[in-house]
Amino acid sequence: MLNIYQFLSHKKTILIAPAGYGKTHTIAAAMDILKIKGKHLILTHTHAGIGSIKEKLKKECIPSNKFHVETISGFAQRYVLSFYKGIDIPNLNDKNYFSFILEKAFYYFRLKPIQKILLRSYDSLFVDEYQDCTSTQHELILLISALFPTRFLGDPLQGIFQFNPLDPLVNMNDEIQMKDFISNKYTLEQPQRWLRGNNETLGENLKCIRSELLLGNPIDLSLYSAIESHCYNEEDLNIPTSLYYKKLSDSIKGDSLLIIHPNSTSIHPRISLIKKFNNRFLLLESIDDKDFYKLAGKFDNVFQGGYTLVLKEVCLAIFNKTELGKWFNEKGLISKTGENEKSLIKPLKTLLEEINLCPSFNKLRSALLEVSKLPMLKCYRKEIFSCLCKALQHADNEKTTVAQAMAEIRNSIRRYGKKTNVKCIGTTLLTKGLEFDTVIVLNAHQFNCPKHLYVAFTRACKKLIVFSNSNVLTTKSINIG
């Protein structure tokens, strides 16, 4: 059991906390003690992490004016955009955007006036999911940590955000990288997420699996009684008459359910499953998916009279094409002869006529909403649809571009987080920091990295269902220090 007072007594501390062992609870317990000493900054890596931390602090009745939770990227971005006056900032969807932001953040956080702002704003710093800090982010955090007491919390076995080989993830067990922090290192030892009526046996099973992964050993799922495992050929997932497909369909129950797909590089396999399973679960989107900005930008670049075709083009990216094709063709809106169809299409037709005479983003938003009401039309990318509606309204109200409005909306999610508690499908990269009653892992044999497999399994609180082509899962050996 961690002595929270001892943990807080040091100015520089590390806490190693396996998934579900009480890391977020530790942050809440620390906030409960520190709330009498001003306001505290909590940094993490994902909007999912922000939502999880905020929900826990709210549950523990920690006053919201005693803490501020933000992603590291969002935090750096906020200060840079507040003070940098250059015109060379890359577009938000540019691959160099955040490296630019980090470079400028180093400059600003070294300035005494900015350091005074930080000191007046916060009394301590907590950095969650520290294993996902790149070496560059780590150096930036070390710079800030000189200002006030700082605690790093994380788990080397969950370090999966490695995207740039030239900027590797930090090693939390490395004495040189961790500097003074390594002298005050604590570890949480017992699973907590699976207690209090969830599934204690599952927690113990996952603890054993963690040990095997750290040793580089194969995982024999048949040895773990709390894990429901099924062996099928992965190709059968796309065949509606197969046992794999039917078993997955039968398993999609309850409101708190996550399906994890092993392919993080392409969104298309997940969208394909959403279509096959008739929209029974929601697609979790990446915060920086370029489609948000690409589709928003289309509304900014419409030639007079071309609004109908742009609306159709946007809708083709988020709705089912077959049904959309019954209402739109290459020329625009299809003229209907049947009285029922004429009645259904009339509100949209009237709106588009108004838009072509006197265009506005708010009218385009209304048109997008009217499209969504057409019979048999299904939206496969509901988050993009929702953000497009918000961006169009914001652009109209603030007299800005839809692309700029979209950037502001996505940045707001980056800074303030988003709660997810529905049936959904995602990847390990999109769901780390989240937890669900039921987790279904598809084609688990495709996880060749033990870190991703561990993250996938530990999202489950009550029930873990694993589909693979074998009960024995083999991953590559890793060194986490």
Side-chain angles (χ1 to χ4, degrees):
M1 180 69 71
L2 177 70
N3 185 324
I4 190 67
Y5 290 96
Q6 186 182 48
F7 174 68
L8 293 174
S9 68
H10 307 290
K11 290 190 175 181
K12 296 182 178 181
T13 318
I14 293 177
L15 179 66
I16 303 296
Y21 279 47
K23 178 167 54 67
T24 309
H25 175 78
T26 300
I27 294 174
M31 288 297 104
D32 193 42
I33 295 169
L34 295 173
K35 63 187 178 185
I36 61 172
K37 298 180 180 179
K39 190 172 184 176
H40 306 273
L41 176 62
I42 305 171
L43 298 179
T44 187
H45 287 272
T46 65
H47 58 273
I50 292 175
S52 176
I53 292 170
K54 283 186 172 182
E55 186 176 0
K56 186 66 175 180
L57 295 179
K58 182 179 180 180
K59 187 176 180 181
E60 298 298 326
C61 300
I62 308 299
S64 59
N65 64 343
K66 295 298 180 181
F67 63 88
H68 176 72
V69 190
E70 196 166 0
T71 63
I72 296 171
S73 296
F75 177 74
Q77 178 190 56
R78 179 160 56 92
Y79 275 82
V80 170
L81 296 184
S82 295
F83 295 101
Y84 186 69
K85 301 304 177 185
I87 60 172
D88 57 337
I89 300 176
N91 290 327
L92 185 61
N93 58 345
D94 190 306
K95 65 179 182 179
N96 297 314
Y97 178 81
F98 282 106
S99 59
F100 178 93
I101 291 293
L102 283 176
E103 178 188 337
K104 299 303 177 185
F106 271 104
Y107 169 77
Y108 285 114
F109 288 147
R110 287 191 179 103
L111 298 178
K112 293 297 181 183
I114 304 298
Q115 291 182 357
K116 286 182 180 179
I117 292 174
L118 289 171
L119 282 166
R120 289 171 182 169
S121 301
Y122 309 109
D123 290 85
S124 75
L125 169 65
F126 290 77
V127 189
D128 192 22
E129 304 288 358
Y130 205 80
Q131 75 282 342
D132 284 315
C133 280
T134 64
S135 297
T136 304
Q137 289 174 324
H138 173 59
E139 292 301 321
L140 184 68
I141 296 299
L142 287 179
L143 175 62
I144 301 171
S145 72
L147 302 176
F148 28 57
T150 301
R151 289 95 189 183
F152 299 158
L153 304 92
D155 173 21
L157 193 55
Q158 296 182 73
I160 61 174
F161 289 171
Q162 177 65 75
F163 305 117
N164 181 2
L166 299 178
D167 193 12
L169 297 182
V170 70
N171 184 344
M172 294 184 70
N173 293 312
D174 186 273
E175 294 184 5
I176 297 175
Q177 290 188 62
M178 290 296 104
K179 300 186 183 298
D180 295 342
F181 287 87
I182 203 74
S183 301
N184 304 303
K185 182 179 174 183
Y186 295 82
T187 303
L188 298 180
E189 303 287 354
Q190 293 300 322
Q192 299 296 320
R193 178 178 296 163
W194 301 274
L195 303 180
R196 296 174 293 279
N198 282 335
N199 188 338
E200 191 169 348
T201 304
L202 178 59
E204 291 301 322
N205 285 176
L206 292 173
K207 183 179 181 179
C208 293
I209 287 175
R210 176 186 177 86
S211 298
E212 295 299 318
L213 290 173
L214 289 172
L215 292 171
N217 294 334
I219 306 301
D220 186 347
L221 295 174
S222 66
L223 299 177
Y224 303 101
S225 62
I227 299 176
E228 181 182 324
S229 60
H230 303 279
C231 295
Y232 300 114
N233 292 325
E234 61 182 81
E235 296 83 5
D236 291 349
L237 178 58
N238 297 310
I239 304 173
T241 56
S242 71
L243 292 175
Y244 190 169
Y245 188 98
K246 290 178 179 179
K247 188 62 183 178
L248 175 57
S249 181
D250 291 342
S251 300
I252 302 172
K253 300 173 182 176
D255 293 327
S256 178
L257 180 139
L258 169 65
I259 300 171
I260 296 183
H261 197 285
N263 188 342
S264 294
T265 59
S266 173
I267 197 172
H268 299 299
R270 282 166 273 150
I271 293 178
S272 177
L273 281 174
I274 288 173
K275 292 177 179 179
K276 282 183 172 66
F277 283 88
N278 202 26
N279 252 16
R280 289 175 63 188
F281 38 85
L282 178 76
L283 177 71
L284 290 180
E285 300 272 8
S286 168
I287 187 70
D288 290 316
D289 191 298
K290 291 184 179 181
D291 286 346
F292 283 92
Y293 310 104
K294 178 183 175 182
L295 295 176
K298 289 185 180 298
F299 288 113
D300 293 321
N301 300 296
V302 189
F303 294 105
Q304 186 67 31
Y307 295 99
T308 302
L309 291 178
V310 166
L311 182 68
K312 172 199 168 188
E313 189 178 354
V314 170
C315 289
L316 281 172
I318 57 178
F319 293 101
N320 49 335
K321 295 179 182 179
T322 302
E323 293 302 324
L324 194 69
K326 295 178 181 179
W327 303 96
F328 290 86
N329 60 21
E330 67 278 1
K331 295 181 180 180
L333 209 58
I334 297 174
S335 296
K336 296 294 183 179
T337 55
E339 290 303 317
N340 184 46
E341 289 182 326
K342 285 170 68 176
S343 174
L344 290 169
I345 203 71
K346 184 178 180 180
L348 178 59
K349 184 179 179 181
T350 302
L351 263 173
L352 289 172
E353 289 171 353
E354 291 178 9
I355 290 169
N356 284 314
L357 288 173
C358 184
S360 78
F361 290 139
N362 251 333
K363 290 177 184 177
L364 281 167
R365 173 183 174 272
S366 298
L368 193 58
L369 288 169
E370 284 300 328
V371 172
S372 71
K373 297 176 185 176
L374 293 173
M376 303 303 292
L377 217 60
K378 295 174 184 176
C379 182
Y380 296 130
R381 304 191 70 175
K382 294 181 180 179
E383 188 173 348
I384 288 185
F385 174 78
S386 174
C387 285
L388 280 172
C389 290
K390 291 176 182 177
L392 285 164
Q393 185 174 42
H394 184 75
D396 197 89
N397 294 342
E398 301 299 324
K399 308 305 176 188
T400 186
T401 66
V402 185
Q404 181 59 40
M406 180 63 79
E408 291 179 23
I409 289 167
R410 300 308 286 172
N411 278 337
S412 177
I413 294 173
R414 189 192 317 281
R415 288 179 58 192
Y416 300 113
K418 180 185 69 175
K419 188 175 180 181
T420 303
N421 191 27
V422 293
K423 292 188 187 76
C424 53
I425 185 168
T427 65
T428 50
L429 293 175
L430 296 175
T431 57
K432 191 158 74 68
L434 296 176
E435 55 187 75
F436 293 77
D437 286 350
T438 301
V439 169
I440 301 172
V441 181
L442 304 177
N443 300 336
H445 55 279
Q446 292 185 11
F447 286 105
N448 64 351
C449 175
K451 294 181 179 182
H452 283 274
L453 186 65
Y454 180 67
V455 168
F457 281 10
T458 52
R459 300 310 92 208
C461 291
K462 297 181 179 180
K463 190 173 186 179
L464 175 60
I465 304 171
V466 181
F467 292 94
S468 65
N469 64 4
S470 169
N471 263 331
V472 179
L473 304 177
T474 304
T475 60
K476 64 183 180 182
S477 297
I478 55 168
N479 179 18
I480 63 172

